Amino acid sequence: MKPLVLTVAGSDSGGGAGIQADLKTMLALGVHGMSVITAVTAQNSLGVQGAWELPVEAVRAQYRSVVDDIGVQAVKTGMLASAELVEAVAELIGATDAPAVIDPVGVSKHGDPLLAASALDSVRRRLLPVATVATPNLDEVAQLTGVRVESEEQLREAAAAVLSYGPRWVLVKGGHLPGDAVDLLTDGSEEHWLRAARHDNRHTHGTGCTLASAIASQLAMGHRVPEAVTAAKEYVTGAIAAGFALGGGIGPVDHGWRFRRRTGA
């Protein structure tokens, strides 16, 4: 049987991020993707025009429906919108015997808010403690901890601040810094610095969702966290390089870049 991965996230009607990006990533990496939709967005390459969260009971029912019958080898979270949803999902994950990748989504690529300010404390207090790996970008680190990173040397301080809330590992994504794309993965004792050449491509919508889903997919295959994150970053780097124009704004990364490379498409 294929490894089973569950994404708990919002829907992106434009197909570049959210549930849609998660399931494309899982397909590309050879695992079976399943979904719990937490919110519906009206979204395209220009931004988010509207967002509607689902009731907590609908989210809980989706989760239980999948996990109780099919089972799961890894869980990934994305847009959770409200404190009530954050707390419900944290409770569900805490009772599930599978690694969890927590992507603490705060804003969209276009700067649109995807998490209520009132939910930040719930993310710190309830969600991060159940994370096997937390994957904040620098804006999310600042939002959660107050630490503002302006240089590579400050990534350690940022990682320590996030780890203080209880995740086993944190991957601080330094993609917004100048120079090579460098991320720091640490559990407080081990450190792994992950570097990749920066691609001059503005079409990067869905990068964070794709990376977190790739990590979850690798964990479901049985890889240790450092190996899972390293393989996921390699996949995402290729997807960014192959990102393509879509609509009038920022296009998505290409989740199928390996398939197209093999077929010459």
Side-chain angles (χ1 to χ4, degrees), residues 64-113:
R64 290 263 59 94
S65 178
V66 170
V67 173
D68 293 349
D69 172 48
I70 302 171
V72 66
Q73 271 93 51
V75 180
K76 174 262 177 189
T77 71
M79 176 186 178
L80 298 180
S82 69
E84 293 77 16
L85 284 176
V86 168
E87 298 201 5
V89 170
E91 179 186 343
L92 290 163
I93 290 174
T96 303
D97 185 20
V101 180
I102 304 300
D103 187 18
V105 175
V107 297
S108 76
K109 181 70 69 180
H110 306 87
D112 303 294

Side-chain angles (χ1 to χ4, degrees), residues 17-101:
I19 288 282
Q20 287 82 352
D22 297 340
L23 294 176
K24 290 175 188 178
T25 299
M26 293 168 192
L27 178 65
L29 295 179
V31 304
H32 177 67
M34 305 170 291
S35 63
V36 171
I37 297 175
T38 60
V40 175
T41 68
Q43 188 172 168
N44 56 27
S45 70
L46 299 173
V48 179
Q49 291 78 46
W52 301 266
E53 65 186 75
L54 268 66
V56 168
E57 57 266 31
V59 171
R60 186 178 285 116
Q62 291 175 80
Y63 191 101
R64 290 263 59 94
S65 178
V66 170
V67 173
D68 293 349
D69 172 48
I70 302 171
V72 66
Q73 271 93 51
V75 180
K76 174 262 177 189
T77 71
M79 176 186 178
L80 298 180
S82 69
E84 293 77 16
L85 284 176
V86 168
E87 298 201 5
V89 170
E91 179 186 343
L92 290 163
I93 290 174
T96 303
D97 185 20
V101 180

